[in-house]
């Protein structure tokens, strides 16, 4: 009996080891065909704090800490220079305002319209300063008419810089004086100015007053100016 012919094997069939290697290599390549450059890059994992031999990358938090430390290291000299840089423009603006725009000069007003309005009401004879020396400045002029009462106020600066107000009103004197001179205002003696009999009065702190009482009208000259200036203003009223 003839011996069995050997079974033909396909030339593409490999040994079990060959098939194993082919299955392990993707795309039909063997493991030896994959180069290190073809491996996918692995993400860098941060190791726990205190691990030896590992250097961590800088993070935004770390940069903020460095910046904070840098700011803390600024010397007082650096801070003074920064402040000076801010103050110089402010000083220049203030100087320009005062020198070129007259920032230190009081705003003067023309009292004529207010005086004309007060005269048109005809509540009492209205007086105004006339013939004052140079240096007097008119700075305010107001007219009040609460509940039918009329009060005219003219504000001035004296040549020495004192503030003075001329009050003319038909409010009863027993109400007017406490309102203008405080309840502690007391008469200090009479004197004559411009042919009229005035009375000195105490007033608010650092102020003094001259009061002229007439039928239907009371005139008060009150302020921080010297008494001689108050008398000049009172004597100029026409």
């Amino acid at each position: 009996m003839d011996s069995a012919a050997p079974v033909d094997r396909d030339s593409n069939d490999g040994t079990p080891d060959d098939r194993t290697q082919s299955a392990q290599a993707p795309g039909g390549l063997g493991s030896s065909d994959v180069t290190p450059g073809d491996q996918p890059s692995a993400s860098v994992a941060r190791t726990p704090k205190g691990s030896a031999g590992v250097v961590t990358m800088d993070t935004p938090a770390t940069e903020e800490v460095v910046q904070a430390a840098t700011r803390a290291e600024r010397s007082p000299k650096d801070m003074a220079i920064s402040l000076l840089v801010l103050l110089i423009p402010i000083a220049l603006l203030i100087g320009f305002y005062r020198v070129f725009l007259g920032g230190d000069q009081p705003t003067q007003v023309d009292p004529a319209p207010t005086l004309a309005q007060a005269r048109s009401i005809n509540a009492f004879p209205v007086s105004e300063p006339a013939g004052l020396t140079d240096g007097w400045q008119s700075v305010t002029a107001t007219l009040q008419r609460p509940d039918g009462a009329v009060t005219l106020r003219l504000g001035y600066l004296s040549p020495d810089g004192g503030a003075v107000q001329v009050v003319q009103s038909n409010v009863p004197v027993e109400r007017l004086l406490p309102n203008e001179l405080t309840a502690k205002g007391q008469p200090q003696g009479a004197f004559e100015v411009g042919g009229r009999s005035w009375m000195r009065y105490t007033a608010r702190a650092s102020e003094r007053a001259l009061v002229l009482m007439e039928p239907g009208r009371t005139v008060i000259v009150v302020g921080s100016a010297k008494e001689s200036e108050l008398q000049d203003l009172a004597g100029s009223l026409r």
Side-chain angles (χ1 to χ4, degrees):
M1 184 175 193
D2 294 336
S3 61
V7 178
D8 293 334
R9 302 183 61 179
D10 188 7
S11 60
N12 292 331
D13 292 340
T15 63
D17 291 341
D18 294 335
R19 289 194 298 271
T20 302
Q21 291 177 1
S22 298
Q24 290 177 349
L29 296 178
S31 61
S32 60
D33 295 329
V34 180
T35 61
D38 294 331
Q39 297 292 336
S41 58
S43 60
V44 178
R46 295 181 58 85
T47 57
K49 194 173 183 179
S51 299
V54 178
V55 179
T56 59
M57 301 292 291
D58 286 341
T59 63
T62 305
E63 294 177 358
E64 292 179 1
V65 172
V66 173
Q67 293 175 0
T70 303
R71 289 194 296 268
E73 292 175 358
R74 291 181 179 175
S75 66
K77 180 180 178 181
D78 295 335
M79 298 177 65
I81 293 175
S82 300
L83 183 61
L84 186 61
V85 170
L86 293 175
L87 291 178
I88 288 177
I90 296 175
L92 291 175
L93 289 175
I94 293 175
F96 178 82
Y97 173 73
R98 289 182 174 179
V99 175
F100 296 99
L101 301 182
D104 288 338
Q105 299 299 321
T107 302
Q108 299 191 51
V109 302
D110 181 8
T114 306
L115 288 166
Q117 183 181 4
R119 290 190 174 104
S120 68
I121 297 172
N122 198 27
F124 50 78
V126 175
S127 300
E128 63 178 301
L132 285 172
T133 59
D134 293 339
W136 286 92
Q137 301 178 67
S138 174
V139 292
T140 62
T142 60
L143 183 65
Q144 298 173 317
R145 304 174 60 183
D147 300 327
V150 179
T151 300
L152 173 64
R153 302 176 187 275
L154 305 175
Y156 295 89
L157 287 180
S158 72
D160 287 343
V164 187
Q165 188 173 167
V166 178
V167 181
Q168 303 176 65
S169 179
N170 62 356
V171 175
V173 67
E174 63 272 12
R175 287 169 43 199
L176 182 65
L177 293 184
N179 289 339
E180 302 297 329
L181 308 180
T182 76
K184 297 181 179 179
Q186 297 296 323
Q188 302 294 307
F191 70 100
E192 186 172 318
V193 175
R196 297 172 177 174
S197 180
W198 292 73
M199 183 73 68
R200 293 184 180 90
Y201 266 79
T202 57
R204 295 175 178 83
S206 74
E207 292 186 348
R208 54 184 62 85
L210 306 177
V211 179
L212 174 66
M213 301 178 195
E214 295 180 335
R217 179 184 76 155
T218 301
V219 181
I220 303 174
V221 179
V222 57
S224 60
K226 299 182 295 185
E227 183 169 337
S228 61
E229 292 179 324
L230 295 182
Q231 292 184 11
D232 290 343
L233 184 56
S236 72
L237 294 175
R238 301 286 187 272

